[in-house]
Amino acid sequence: MLDWFRRRREERRAASALLFRQRYASFRRLLGRNGELLALLAELELDLRHETAAEPRVRDRIRRILDAALDLVQDLSELTGGEVEAFFAAHHRIEAEVLAALAREEHPPASPVIDLDAPEARDRELAGGKAANLARVRALLPGRVPPGFVATTAAYRSLAEAAGLAGRVRSLVAAARGSEAAIADRGGELRQLIARTPLPRALADAL
């Protein structure tokens, strides 16, 4: 009888030790995924400063964030013995909303140059704040604002893509975070970088 109790005690200890190791491994994975997720979110924040969610690279990063978040919830579920069902439901709801928003962003490529009289010229994300305001004033006061056109954000993206500027712009912006002096210096570098870049033929023809 004493041997039976000893075996049972050893079995319970072994099961407890195994559970502890499994949960510790889940905790380590959770910490790693949390760091990965924070890094992806920081990169996405930089992307969205000069790109839109319609860009394939940005969309891919958003999907990676959704996948990393789901993996994190799974690790948390293992760590808590499955007591996070509400988190899975929340992730499912958020994922559906994000994917629906991405679907709405899918549209034909915008023209690199548009007339101020075009309705899309009033779109701040496409024409920029100054041109969009000018287009609105021209629509409200016909004849009081001279005709014109605007090089759109699509023109910038075509230039950045043709010259491979995206990575260099991101690195300059990332290096400037948290310092006004660095931001001013990097702003000058960005202007020189763009000014030295030849216009793609299609963009030059459109202008």
Side-chain angles (χ1 to χ4, degrees):
M1 180 66 68
L2 185 60
D3 288 342
W4 183 85
F5 279 112
R6 286 176 177 171
R7 286 197 302 272
R8 291 290 296 167
R9 183 175 60 188
E10 292 301 321
E11 288 172 358
R12 286 196 296 270
R13 286 179 177 174
S16 178
L18 177 61
L19 179 62
F20 176 80
R21 288 194 297 270
Q22 290 173 338
R23 291 191 173 180
Y24 179 70
S26 295
F27 180 65
R28 291 287 301 271
R29 286 196 302 272
L30 186 147
L31 291 179
R33 294 194 199 281
N34 185 64
E36 175 190 356
L37 188 55
L38 290 175
L40 286 170
L41 287 169
E43 291 172 355
L44 179 63
E45 181 182 350
L46 287 175
D47 287 340
L48 292 176
R49 291 186 181 185
H50 55 88
E51 296 183 72
T52 71
E55 297 295 324
R57 190 165 63 85
V58 177
R59 299 167 77 85
D60 177 68
R61 198 182 305 283
I62 291 172
R63 288 190 173 90
R64 287 171 59 196
I65 288 173
L66 291 171
D67 291 343
L70 181 59
D71 289 338
L72 190 147
V73 173
Q74 180 62 47
D75 288 331
L76 188 60
S77 178
E78 294 176 6
L79 186 62
T80 61
E83 298 182 3
V84 292
E85 287 304 315
F87 287 4
F88 282 107
H91 181 277
H92 180 73
R93 185 184 71 254
I94 292 169
E95 181 179 48
E97 292 175 358
V98 169
L99 294 179
L102 289 180
R104 289 194 297 270
E105 286 286 334
E106 292 179 349
H107 48 72
S111 171
V113 178
I114 53 177
D115 193 278
L116 283 180
D117 291 324
E120 55 265 38
R122 301 165 207 166
D123 182 344
R124 296 176 65 88
E125 291 189 6
L126 178 62
K130 293 180 181 178
N133 289 337
L134 190 61
R136 290 191 181 99
V137 173
R138 180 169 167 79
L140 291 171
L141 302 172
R144 302 297 297 273
V145 177
F149 65 90
V150 58
T152 65
T153 52
Y156 163 74
R157 287 195 293 274
S158 70
L159 173 67
E161 181 179 354
L165 293 179
R168 299 173 71 182
V169 169
R170 290 183 72 256
S171 64
L172 287 173
V173 172
R177 296 186 70 177
S179 168
E180 291 187 8
I183 290 173
D185 290 341
R186 295 301 187 272
E189 292 181 46
L190 287 172
R191 284 191 293 273
Q192 293 177 19
L193 180 62
I194 293 172
R196 291 196 302 265
T197 302
L199 290 179
R201 179 59 183 271
L203 177 55
D205 289 346
L207 289 170

